[in-house]
C-alpha cells in the first residue's frame, strides 16, 4: 500500500509526464518545475546517507550512487527553471527528466530543511 507521501509524489510525477502530451501554460510548467526540484532536494540527503552507510563499491552502494548521480546530473542540466519564452516542448522535456529522477528518489524519505546539494 502506498503512503500519502508516495501517492502525492506519484501524482506530481504523472503531472510532469502529462506535460509531454499536453504542455501546460508556461507559468504552470515553471511551478511544476519548482515543485520537482524541491522534492528532489528534500530526498537527496537521505539517498547520500544511505550510500554512505554501505560498503564503498558494494552492489548496494552502487545502487544508491546511480540514483544520486542521475539526480545531480538532472539538477545540473535541468535545474534552472524554464523561462517564459522557452518553448513548451523543451520545458516539458525538462520537467519529465526531473520527474524520472524524483521517481527514483521516492524510496528515500524527505529530509526537512534540506540544504542544496553540494557542488560536484
Amino acid at each position: 500500500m502506498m503512503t500519502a507521501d508516495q501517492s502525492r509524489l506519484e501524482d506530481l510525477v504523472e503531472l510532469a509526464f502529462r506535460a509531454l502530451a499536453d504542455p501546460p501554460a508556461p507559468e504552470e510548467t515553471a511551478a511544476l518545475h519548482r515543485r520537482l526540484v524541491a522534492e528532489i532536494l528534500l530526498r537527496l540527503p537521505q539517498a547520500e546517507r544511505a550510500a554512505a552507510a554501505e560498503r564503498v563499491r558494494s552492489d548496494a552502494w552502487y545502487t544508491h550512487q546511480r540514483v544520486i548521480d542521475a539526480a545531480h546530473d538532472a539538477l545540473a542540466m535541468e535545474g534552472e527553471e524554464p523561462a517564459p519564452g522557452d518553448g513548451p516542448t523543451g520545458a516539458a522535456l525538462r520537467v519529465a527528466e526531473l520527474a524520472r529522477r524524483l521517481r527514483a528518489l521516492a524510496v528515500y524519505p524527505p529530509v526537512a530543511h534540506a540544504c542544496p546539494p553540494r557542488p560536484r
Side-chain angles (χ1 to χ4, degrees), residues 24-79:
E27 59 276 359
E28 291 175 46
T29 304
L32 177 58
H33 186 277
R34 283 190 300 271
R35 288 177 58 199
L36 289 162
V37 169
E39 291 292 341
I40 289 170
L41 292 175
L42 285 173
R43 284 163 172 72
L44 263 173
Q46 194 65 16
E48 291 169 341
R49 285 187 193 116
E54 300 294 341
R55 187 175 46 82
V56 174
R57 304 209 190 305
S58 66
D59 288 345
W61 180 84
Y62 277 115
T63 299
H64 295 300
Q65 205 57 49
R66 272 192 305 273
V67 172
I68 293 164
D69 290 345
H72 280 288
D73 289 347
L75 288 172
M77 294 177 67
E78 315 296 347

